[in-house]
Amino acid sequence: MKIIGPHTYIVTGYKNYAWNPEIPVIVDVEVFKEQYEKARNCPDLEKQKILYKEILCSWRPLTGILTDEHWMIGIDTYYTSLFLEAVKSMAGLLEKEKKYKELVQLCRYAMPAELLDEDIRYWLIKALIQQKKVSEALKEWETAQSVWREQLQGYFPERLNSLYKEIMSSSISNEPDFMKVLRSLMKFTHEKQGGCFCAREIFEQLCLFLIGRSRGRGTEEYLILFSLLVDDMQEQEKKQGFILKNGRNKFVNVLSKKLEYGDVFTELGSSQYAVLPAECSDKKCKQKAERLIREFKKIYRSAYIDICYKIINLSEDIQC
């Protein structure tokens, strides 16, 4: 350390070394906090926005080398939380002024800092809806659902889930050109293979439609319910959760690729999936379910996980 000056930067004590307390040190985290407090307490809104923009541009994530040190975990968490508070304060200002384009840019800039931040995800999707960018909003909603499913094993915030209806309503109100829609559907039918995943709300609507249709026609409609079972591992909950997560991911991959065209599936909680087969008898449902389980076991040979299924007759088994 003699390169940076002639001072005694490190002093020795009884069985330890320490920084010389007589030499002041400026820490970037403390500077960032001072800048944040200055922006938060600024009474002039225009000046406040300028201050927020300055500190958000100056923020840099702590390096991986530093955050690997246990003593840096608390500092990194605090530093990131200050950054997220600044982002949300700025987002609130942009939302009031209806500057949705800037709000989208801000959310996308901040998202890598905390992928599971509900507020930032909500602002991003909401701002896209306000700009009538329905396809982008739907894509971001699906990405958010995927992140939560992977990180939190099936949990998805109700606040984010409620945005799906807004996206669908906005999509309908856009009044797309019929011929464009028809061409898009024709292209989809030629390209699509395997099962189609849909949100739980849409899946429930499909079930209601099929129940009504079966009553009108006097036919039978079926649903296949799959449950993933993990063996009880004494005092190994973390390993159990890891196995279930991997098993879910592999099974979703099987459903996406090995279901037949027209089959629809959705996720029910952290360990159950429901499939609506297209025009399928009870016998064919059983054959389909057993084939899917065989395909799953080909790619995931864990001795700790198993899959069972149940065929549900929507005309008889469901009590209305």
Side-chain angles (χ1 to χ4, degrees):
M1 296 191 72
K2 291 179 180 179
I3 297 172
I4 61 174
H7 308 288
T8 304
Y9 295 101
I10 306 298
V11 295
T12 56
Y14 179 70
K15 292 186 178 180
N16 71 346
Y17 296 91
W19 184 264
N20 189 342
E22 296 180 2
I23 301 174
V25 177
I26 298 174
V27 182
D28 53 359
V29 179
E30 294 174 356
V31 173
F32 191 87
K33 181 184 177 182
E34 290 172 6
Q35 291 175 324
Y36 169 69
E37 293 294 339
K38 183 180 178 182
R40 190 179 68 166
N41 296 321
C42 181
D44 187 319
L45 286 179
E46 288 303 316
K47 189 175 180 182
Q48 188 180 46
K49 284 195 297 182
I50 293 170
L51 290 172
Y52 274 130
K53 284 181 180 179
E54 288 177 354
I55 63 174
L56 292 176
C57 289
S58 69
W59 180 79
R60 295 289 182 275
L62 296 178
T63 66
I65 295 172
L66 285 176
T67 51
D68 283 343
E69 299 291 336
H70 69 88
W71 53 271
M72 280 297 297
I73 294 174
I75 297 174
D76 178 51
T77 303
Y78 178 69
Y79 189 39
T80 304
S81 68
L82 275 184
F83 169 71
L84 293 174
E85 285 179 25
V87 167
K88 292 172 187 179
S89 298
M90 184 67 180
L93 295 175
L94 293 174
E95 185 181 38
K96 285 180 181 178
E97 296 176 355
K98 298 183 178 180
K99 293 184 177 180
Y100 299 119
K101 185 177 180 180
E102 290 183 42
L103 182 54
V104 168
Q105 292 171 344
L106 174 64
C107 291
R108 284 181 169 155
Y109 170 70
M111 200 175 295
E114 178 49 76
L115 293 176
L116 291 172
D117 192 286
E118 184 180 329
D119 293 326
I120 293 175
R121 293 274 183 182
Y122 182 87
W123 260 315
L124 172 59
I125 298 169
K126 191 78 173 176
L128 288 169
I129 294 172
Q130 293 295 334
Q131 293 181 88
K132 306 297 182 185
K133 295 182 177 181
V134 181
S135 59
E136 284 188 54
L138 180 59
K139 186 177 179 181
E140 290 293 349
W141 184 88
E142 289 173 342
T143 300
Q145 190 182 54
S146 176
V147 169
W148 258 265
R149 182 166 59 234
E150 183 178 340
Q151 298 289 331
L152 298 181
Q153 300 184 5
Y155 169 77
F156 194 54
E158 184 58 36
R159 188 182 179 204
L160 293 178
N161 202 33
S162 66
L163 286 173
Y164 189 83
K165 292 179 181 178
E166 284 192 49
I167 295 170
M168 291 297 102
S169 298
S170 182
S171 177
I172 293 169
S173 65
N174 282 338
E175 298 181 357
D177 177 75
F178 174 72
M179 291 308 295
K180 287 183 179 178
V181 174
L182 188 58
R183 282 193 291 270
S184 177
L185 288 172
M186 291 302 292
K187 183 180 178 183
F188 178 81
T189 58
H190 286 299
E191 295 178 352
K192 178 65 180 174
Q193 292 180 339
C196 178
F197 175 83
C198 71
R200 186 170 172 176
E201 292 85 353
I202 301 299
F203 190 87
E204 290 171 356
Q205 292 299 316
L206 284 172
C207 287
L208 290 174
F209 168 74
L210 292 175
I211 290 169
R213 188 175 72 172
S214 67
R215 287 176 178 173
R217 291 182 177 180
T219 57
E220 294 183 330
E221 302 285 352
Y222 296 95
L223 178 150
I224 310 173
L225 180 65
F226 292 95
S227 299
L228 277 69
L229 308 173
V230 182
D231 286 352
D232 184 27
M233 302 176 193
Q234 296 179 357
E235 300 180 0
Q236 293 190 56
E237 290 183 13
K238 189 173 181 180
K239 185 176 180 181
Q240 197 170 2
F242 175 78
I243 290 172
L244 179 60
K245 177 182 173 182
N246 279 332
R248 283 204 325 269
N249 292 340
K250 293 288 190 302
F251 191 59
V252 168
N253 190 46
V254 168
L255 293 175
S256 298
K257 294 181 179 179
K258 300 300 180 180
L259 280 171
E260 296 172 33
Y261 173 68
D263 294 346
V264 177
F265 70 96
T266 194
E267 183 179 52
L268 304 174
S270 61
S271 60
Q272 285 191 319
Y273 294 87
V275 174
L276 277 177
E279 300 289 341
C280 200
S281 66
D282 179 38
K283 183 178 179 181
K284 287 185 177 179
C285 281
K286 291 178 181 177
Q287 292 172 349
K288 187 188 292 278
E290 289 167 3
R291 177 176 61 82
L292 291 169
I293 292 173
R294 286 197 300 272
E295 292 291 342
F296 171 76
K297 289 182 176 179
K298 283 180 186 178
I299 62 173
Y300 195 66
R301 299 179 179 276
S302 172
Y304 297 105
I305 195 165
D306 198 6
I307 298 181
C308 66
Y309 71 91
K310 181 179 180 182
I311 308 297
I312 298 172
N313 188 325
L314 294 177
S315 309
E316 298 176 359
D317 297 342
I318 305 296
Q319 298 295 324
C320 297

